[in-house]
Amino acid sequence: MTAFLRVLAVDDEPPALDELAYLLRADPRVGKLHTASDATDALRVLRDTDVDVVFLDIRMPGLDGMELARVLRRFARPPAIVFVTAYDDAAVDAFDLGVTDYVRKPVQAERIGESLRRVVSSRVVATHPAAAARAESDPTIPVELAGTTRMLPRSAVRWVEAQGDYARLHTADGSHLVRVPLATLAERWADAGFVRIHRSYLVQLRLIAELRLANSGYVVVVDGTELPVSRRHTRELKDKLVRAAKQDWNR
């Protein structure tokens, strides 16, 4: 594979930066590597050099990684961003920024390789308008899987369950706990067809197989699972189901 990616690695801790740089240089997809010890140093590099992706620590003195990522997003041609961090409390903000990946420290060669694969894929998507439109309509959210942070596409989520300040995303093959309040997802995913049926549940409207009256009130069935519908959401849910059915009939 021809090395072609121009990469900038940013971390204020020299051992962490050295390790990250070593792993990046070892990957055949990396053609040119720059390093920076803080956000100011990174901006100097970016002023003089075009890069394809920035591997970015979050907790740094001065301008932190999250603030730098917001600056990069305003570039005319923003680089892809991969957060490299020891913490998971920035996952929500990473989701908002549309980062390419979110890697937890300590970093491993296989995980860096996966991030670079995602960067390459995102560059291919950017050059194909139809693929870019699909990616924009199906954003990803960072989730933990076997100790590794992965980017889960929103289209894989069947329903969401509130668990305090967290939300559990249920998919066809499991579930993932993310540090995002249910109310936040309800607001951000409303245009994608997710509807609030209860203070503790958010579901994808098109996946509702049944709405029926049970002993304790109304329930919906999604993937064979019964989920409660609160009294305050029942009327609105019925109206949305009827409107969705009419739209299907008129197609």
Side-chain angles (χ1 to χ4, degrees), residues 152 154 156-163 167-176 194 201-202 207 223 225 227:
L152 179 75
R154 182 176 61 191
V157 180
R158 320 294 280 182
W159 78 88
V160 186
E161 179 182 1
Q163 294 191 349
R168 183 166 294 280
L169 311 179
H170 292 267
T171 66
D173 55 2
S175 67
H176 307 276
F194 283 84
Y201 291 96
L202 181 70
L207 298 179
D223 289 349
T225 300
L227 303 173

Side-chain angles (χ1 to χ4, degrees), residues 3 8 10 27 33 37-38 45 62 70 79 81 87 89 109 121 132 137 140 142 172 214 218 223 234 239 242 248 251:
L8 171 61
V10 187
D27 193 286
L33 177 68
S37 59
D38 57 29
V45 173
R70 293 191 178 98
I81 297 170
Y87 308 95
D89 56 358
S121 297
S137 66
T140 58
Y218 278 95
D223 289 349
T234 299
D239 290 343
V242 169
D248 289 339
R251 287 176 181 171

Side-chain angles (χ1 to χ4, degrees), residues 62-112:
L63 192 71
D64 67 21
M66 195 63 64
E67 292 166 328
L68 177 58
R70 293 191 178 98
V71 172
L72 299 183
R73 280 306 187 207
R74 294 199 292 269
F75 280 23
R77 296 176 60 188
I81 297 170
V82 174
F83 281 133
V84 183
T85 177
Y87 308 95
D88 66 356
D89 56 358
V92 178
D93 291 328
F95 171 56
D96 285 342
L97 286 168
V99 302
T100 301
D101 208 350
Y102 191 101
V103 178
R104 292 286 299 279
K105 294 179 180 179
V107 293
Q108 303 292 329
E110 294 80 5
R111 190 66 184 89
I112 293 299

Side-chain angles (χ1 to χ4, degrees), residues 17-249:
L17 182 59
D18 290 346
E19 178 66 12
L20 178 58
Y22 172 80
L23 294 175
L24 288 167
R25 287 193 181 98
D27 193 286
R29 286 162 290 201
V30 176
K32 181 68 175 178
L33 177 68
H34 304 272
T35 60
S37 59
D38 57 29
T40 301
D41 194 18
L43 288 171
R44 291 194 191 101
V45 173
L46 293 165
R47 179 189 60 196
D48 302 323
T49 309
D50 290 330
V51 302
D52 300 304
V53 54
V54 179
F55 281 75
L56 181 57
D57 187 26
I58 293 180
R59 295 193 179 182
M60 298 187 296
L63 192 71
D64 67 21
M66 195 63 64
E67 292 166 328
L68 177 58
R70 293 191 178 98
V71 172
L72 299 183
R73 280 306 187 207
R74 294 199 292 269
F75 280 23
R77 296 176 60 188
I81 297 170
V82 174
F83 281 133
V84 183
T85 177
Y87 308 95
D88 66 356
D89 56 358
V92 178
D93 291 328
F95 171 56
D96 285 342
L97 286 168
V99 302
T100 301
D101 208 350
Y102 191 101
V103 178
R104 292 286 299 279
K105 294 179 180 179
V107 293
Q108 303 292 329
E110 294 80 5
R111 190 66 184 89
I112 293 299
E114 171 65 14
S115 292
L116 290 168
R117 184 195 66 77
R118 289 178 181 274
V119 172
V120 172
S121 297
S122 70
R123 284 165 55 83
V124 171
V125 164
T127 61
H128 292 76
R134 287 195 297 271
E136 185 176 349
S137 66
D138 191 17
T140 58
I141 186 168
V143 299
E144 287 293 314
L145 182 62
T148 300
T149 303
R150 302 291 186 185
M151 306 303 282
L152 179 75
R154 182 176 61 191
S155 60
V157 180
R158 320 294 280 182
W159 78 88
V160 186
E161 179 182 1
Q163 294 191 349
D165 292 332
Y166 289 72
R168 183 166 294 280
L169 311 179
H170 292 267
T171 66
D173 55 2
S175 67
H176 307 276
L177 192 65
V178 296
R179 191 176 292 187
V180 186
L182 186 72
T184 299
L185 290 179
E187 179 181 350
R188 295 173 182 169
W189 290 5
D191 292 341
F194 283 84
V195 297
R196 194 76 172 262
I197 62 168
H198 188 278
R199 62 186 177 87
S200 298
Y201 291 96
L202 181 70
V203 303
Q204 172 55 262
L205 186 70
R206 63 180 175 78
L207 298 179
I208 295 177
E210 294 181 41
L211 169 65
R212 65 168 181 259
L213 188 62
N215 293 334
S216 56
Y218 278 95
V219 298
V220 296
V221 179
V222 179
D223 289 349
T225 300
E226 291 188 356
L227 303 173
V229 181
S230 66
R231 185 176 302 174
R232 62 173 295 211
H233 289 101
T234 299
R235 172 67 67 182
E236 182 182 4
L237 177 60
K238 286 181 177 179
D239 290 343
K240 288 181 177 180
L241 287 170
V242 169
R243 286 198 298 270
K246 287 182 177 178
Q247 289 175 355
D248 289 339
W249 296 335

